[in-house]
Amino acid sequence: VNYRANTMGFGTRSALRLRPNSHFNNSISFFCSQSLTLCESDPQYQKRLQKVQKLETLISRGRTITARRFLRSLLLTKTAFSSLSELHAHVSKPFFSDNLLWLCSVSKMLDEATDLYSTMRKDGFVPSTRSVNRLLRTLVDSRHFEKTLAVFADVIDSGTRPDAVAYGKAVQAAVMLKDLDKGFELMKSM
């Protein structure tokens, strides 16, 4: 059975409805009105698409705790996606990936969050200040000071001007590493 996906707008949220269609491969509008190519004969792909849609819906409705649980179950069971990078590659939409980065940071899924951050940067996406700040905060809170400075340096290298919160977390990481010269250097560059 072949399906065509229609995106229906409901305020700031969107819903995905599948209906029969005679085409084998279709592009669908999904997240931020961007397209994915859907191989409709693959039931595994359709299950993945439904899980991505559910996660996006939970995030867009502000159901952070439920979204965190759902994301953990997606990754722990490895039935739909074996990693966040695979999920990012499957969707590859800046808005969704940015929200996913924030969600992983809030969930203290540090390895997944830093891997996703690296994948996003390789794909040319620049995460939002909100997501970067959350990642830096979680890294510092988890005592990953070297990773904090590495992510901060990458933000600077991307051409993005970090805000005071990001600088504060970088300075805090440098101080915790007892690298006072780096801390003062960061404070001067603010």
Side-chain angles (χ1 to χ4, degrees):
V1 175
N2 293 325
Y3 295 91
R4 182 176 68 206
N6 289 329
T7 302
M8 301 172 57
F10 297 102
T12 59
R13 299 185 182 122
S14 64
L16 181 69
R17 182 177 54 159
L18 299 176
R19 61 182 186 164
N21 187 320
S22 60
H23 300 299
F24 181 72
N25 287 322
N26 289 306
S27 291
I28 61 171
S29 179
F30 201 67
F31 309 128
C32 306
S33 302
Q34 297 183 18
S35 296
L36 292 172
T37 302
L38 175 62
C39 180
E40 295 165 346
S41 64
D42 184 2
Q44 180 67 18
Y45 195 90
Q46 289 182 0
K47 286 180 184 177
R48 286 177 160 194
L49 186 63
Q50 290 170 349
K51 291 187 185 291
V52 168
Q53 178 201 6
K54 181 177 179 179
L55 182 59
E56 191 272 340
T57 300
L58 291 170
I59 292 169
S60 69
R61 290 184 179 169
R63 297 184 57 197
T64 307
I65 294 171
T66 306
R68 287 167 43 185
R69 288 182 188 141
F70 185 69
L71 178 61
R72 281 187 187 273
S73 72
L74 270 180
L75 297 175
L76 291 175
T77 61
K78 297 191 186 277
T79 54
F81 300 98
S82 61
S83 69
L84 273 177
S85 295
E86 183 183 353
L87 177 57
H88 167 76
H90 183 76
V91 178
S92 193
K93 305 294 178 233
F95 178 74
F96 180 74
S97 295
D98 188 66
N99 279 321
L100 198 56
L101 177 62
W102 179 85
L103 185 63
C104 289
S105 299
V106 167
S107 302
K108 297 183 181 174
M109 299 170 67
L110 292 177
D111 291 337
E112 293 85 354
T114 53
D115 288 347
L116 179 60
Y117 175 83
S118 297
T119 302
M120 289 172 69
R121 293 290 295 125
K122 284 180 200 165
D123 290 347
F125 298 159
V126 178
S128 69
T129 300
R130 169 185 171 249
S131 295
V132 169
N133 287 350
R134 186 61 216 200
L135 176 58
L136 293 173
R137 177 179 168 194
T138 303
L139 287 167
V140 167
D141 290 349
S142 299
R143 305 188 62 79
H144 289 86
F145 305 121
E146 290 176 2
K147 275 188 182 180
T148 303
L149 292 175
V151 169
F152 183 80
D154 186 69
V155 169
I156 297 286
D157 292 344
S158 74
T160 303
R161 176 92 172 116
D163 65 0
V165 173
Y167 270 102
K169 291 301 169 186
V171 168
Q172 185 179 358
V175 168
M176 295 305 290
L177 288 170
K178 297 183 174 137
D179 188 349
L180 298 180
D181 291 335
K182 180 69 172 176
F184 283 121
E185 177 188 324
L186 288 166
M187 287 177 59
K188 286 179 188 177
S189 64
M190 286 177 83

